Amino acid sequence: MAPNSEHRSLPTGDTKVPVPTFACIVYVSKLDNGHVLARVANLEGLTATAPNERESLSRLVPLFKKFVKEKLESGEVIPWLDPPPAPNLDEQRRFLPVHL
């Protein structure tokens, strides 16, 4: 599938088979129990919690990929939040380019 503005895929360079890459904006915050909550800021409802940020992001990325892939395969429009809401005061922003 060739990247296009409708799907908001990021350019991946000159390749023979284009690989769709999408911007996953994540807000991370520390919970009272010391775990880390990661939530996708530019799509509603995708979150993951783990003992540390790395593991939390590792759990979140497959959820993001599955959601985006299912929307693309079904021909549905991906419901991007554009612009994403501002992070809460206790959240930090992360940007993850995600390849399907």
Side-chain angles (χ1 to χ4, degrees), residues 43-89:
L43 286 174
E44 195 167 329
L46 297 177
T47 63
T49 304
N52 58 60
E53 183 175 332
R54 182 182 192 126
E55 191 172 335
S56 186
L57 294 173
S58 294
R59 292 178 183 182
L60 189 62
V61 168
L63 299 174
F64 179 89
K65 285 183 175 187
K66 181 178 186 256
F67 182 86
V68 170
K69 186 176 180 182
E70 286 174 354
K71 292 294 181 188
L72 291 174
E73 288 175 351
S74 69
E76 294 179 60
V77 174
I78 300 170
W80 298 112
L81 300 176
D82 187 21
N88 296 325
L89 293 176

Side-chain angles (χ1 to χ4, degrees), residues 3-18:
N4 65 45
S5 61
E6 180 181 327
H7 298 284
R8 297 189 184 210
S9 178
L10 301 173
T12 56
D14 186 25
T15 61
K16 293 184 190 250
V17 179

Side-chain angles (χ1 to χ4, degrees), residues 11-50:
T12 56
D14 186 25
T15 61
K16 293 184 190 250
V17 179
V19 177
T21 306
F22 296 89
C24 180
I25 300 170
V26 179
Y27 295 156
V28 295
S29 60
K30 200 133 203 168
L31 300 174
D32 290 338
N33 64 2
H35 282 66
V36 174
L37 170 67
R39 69 179 178 100
V40 176
N42 56 334
L43 286 174
E44 195 167 329
L46 297 177
T47 63
T49 304

